[in-house]
Amino acid sequence: MKKLLLGALVLFVVVSNISAQEDQDWRPLYKLVDSSLQTKLDAEFKKIPQLRKLIVQKKLAIGVVDMNGEMPKFARINGNKMMYAASLPKIAILLAAYQSFEDGSLEETEEIHSDLVNMIRTSDNHAATKIIDKVGFKKISSVLKDPRYELYDESRGGGLWVGKRYAKQGKRYPDPINSISHGATVTQICRFYYLLANHKLINYERSEQMLNDLSNPALNHKFVASLSKLAPKADLFRKSGTWKQWHSDSVLVRSVDWRNYILTAMVESEDGSKIIERVVPIVEKVLRAEES
């Protein structure tokens, strides 16, 4: 009996150590900032006066994750600056809906799946509002603050947040520290895509479903406009946002060549769409320099 108990204890310790190591591997990206990538990213954007000015004013934020290698390389500019992100935070609604499917609090139907695809690929506001009304703001908030995901963290500037229907009517539930209805930080957007790409959002099957919803973007502007020229055969998983002078975009890029990265940008500027389009070749230049 003592030998059996000792064996069980040893097995428990081994499994616990493996789990602890896995947890360590999936720590937040702000603990995985790569100094070389960060230095190169800062230097390239400082070369362009318009972009440098927006960065200093904290009106431009950029995040990138190089997914090549055993561990990611993360770099960010204004990484914890929460900004109005328009429709980009619909990725938070996507996650909350799939979490609700998984825990049984929302019935999984073909109609809802169709709404999810329309909400992401064409940024349909009516579809997004329908899902918000079904899931509820309380559930969305709890999912974003879930310690498994840490997609909204008050100790680090906030993060992803959805606190208003994508409609004229409806009560507003702004985020606790910035009072933004539809907001994000580039750090937490990158974390969303990184966990999703590695099937760590909910589970493997649900992550695959969300990746499918994010695939085949229908709006050919910003990142997509740039990548359609630079990497026309690459697979793109994407969500963008636009409202007045606020522009945002996010993408996971996969291809048979060196491209395997996450990129996101948010900017407050009347010329924001074109600025975000310019971000892609600058970041790709930085990533190629890291590979050489």
Side-chain angles (χ1 to χ4, degrees), residues 4-291:
L4 287 174
L5 290 173
L6 181 59
L9 179 60
V10 170
L11 179 60
F12 174 77
V13 171
V14 170
V15 171
S16 297
N17 287 340
I18 292 172
S19 298
Q21 182 59 48
E22 289 177 349
D23 290 342
Q24 181 72 5
D25 290 344
W26 293 101
R27 62 192 184 277
L29 283 173
Y30 54 75
K31 294 185 179 179
L32 296 171
V33 173
D34 183 84
S35 59
S36 174
L37 180 61
Q38 185 68 56
T39 299
K40 291 182 176 71
L41 188 71
D42 290 336
E44 287 300 321
F45 279 92
K46 285 179 180 177
K47 291 178 181 178
I48 304 169
Q50 181 193 21
L51 304 186
R52 183 175 66 245
K53 182 178 179 180
L54 287 168
I55 289 168
V56 171
Q57 295 173 336
K58 295 190 180 298
K59 292 184 176 182
L60 174 61
I62 299 158
V64 59
V65 185
D66 185 351
M67 300 279 283
N68 292 298
E70 293 183 2
M71 292 295 288
K73 295 178 181 180
F74 175 49
R76 71 281 184 262
I77 296 172
N78 288 327
N80 291 337
K81 171 63 178 177
M82 190 166 172
M83 299 174 65
Y84 184 76
S87 288
L88 193 156
K90 289 174 182 175
I91 59 176
I93 305 171
L94 182 75
L95 174 58
Y98 276 98
Q99 184 66 61
S100 298
F101 294 154
E102 189 67 15
D103 62 30
S105 60
L106 179 65
E107 183 181 1
E108 192 168 359
T109 66
E110 289 186 8
E111 180 185 355
I112 293 178
H113 276 291
S114 178
D115 284 336
L116 287 168
V117 168
N118 291 333
M119 174 183 74
I120 295 298
R121 296 183 187 174
T122 64
S123 207
D124 189 307
N125 285 338
H126 179 63
T129 297
K130 284 172 63 180
I131 298 166
I132 288 172
D133 290 345
K134 288 181 171 69
V135 175
F137 290 110
K138 185 175 180 180
K139 181 59 171 284
I140 295 171
S141 173
S142 68
V143 170
L144 294 175
K145 293 180 179 180
D146 190 314
R148 291 176 297 170
Y149 311 136
E150 296 182 331
L151 296 172
Y152 185 88
D153 184 349
E154 291 187 37
S155 69
R156 296 186 179 276
L160 281 168
W161 190 264
V162 175
K164 188 182 182 301
R165 300 163 85 232
Y166 283 90
K168 291 182 179 179
Q169 299 77 26
K171 189 175 179 180
R172 184 171 174 265
Y173 302 91
D175 84 282
I177 60 175
N178 299 285
S179 194
I180 298 175
S181 298
H182 303 129
T185 64
V186 293
T187 293
Q188 301 297 30
I189 298 169
C190 285
R191 178 169 171 79
F192 174 94
Y193 278 94
Y194 178 63
L195 292 174
L196 184 63
N198 288 282
H199 303 98
K200 297 294 183 178
L201 288 184
I202 307 175
N203 55 41
Y204 186 95
E205 291 75 18
R206 294 303 189 185
S207 290
E208 276 292 298
Q209 287 178 289
M210 286 185 275
L211 281 167
N212 180 67
D213 291 346
L214 287 156
S215 66
N216 302 314
L219 302 177
N220 185 23
H221 64 349
K222 301 178 185 175
F223 285 167
V224 174
S226 193
L227 285 163
S228 65
K229 302 170 186 175
L230 294 169
K233 295 183 179 180
D235 293 322
L236 307 181
F237 307 85
R238 182 264 192 132
K239 184 71 195 83
S240 64
T242 303
W243 190 69
K244 295 184 177 180
Q245 73 268 33
W246 289 279
H247 301 263
S248 58
D249 211 344
S250 60
V251 69
L252 165 64
V253 183
R254 289 172 170 170
S255 69
V256 296
D257 59 16
W258 61 270
R259 290 179 174 89
N260 183 19
Y261 66 85
I262 294 160
L263 177 61
T264 186
M266 297 186 294
V267 62
E268 181 184 348
S269 170
E270 296 294 340
D271 195 31
S273 183
K274 289 297 181 182
I275 288 171
I276 287 179
E277 188 174 335
R278 291 175 64 192
V279 165
V280 179
I282 299 170
V283 169
E284 289 210 340
K285 178 182 177 181
V286 171
L287 292 175
R288 290 305 298 270
E290 279 293 293
E291 294 298 314

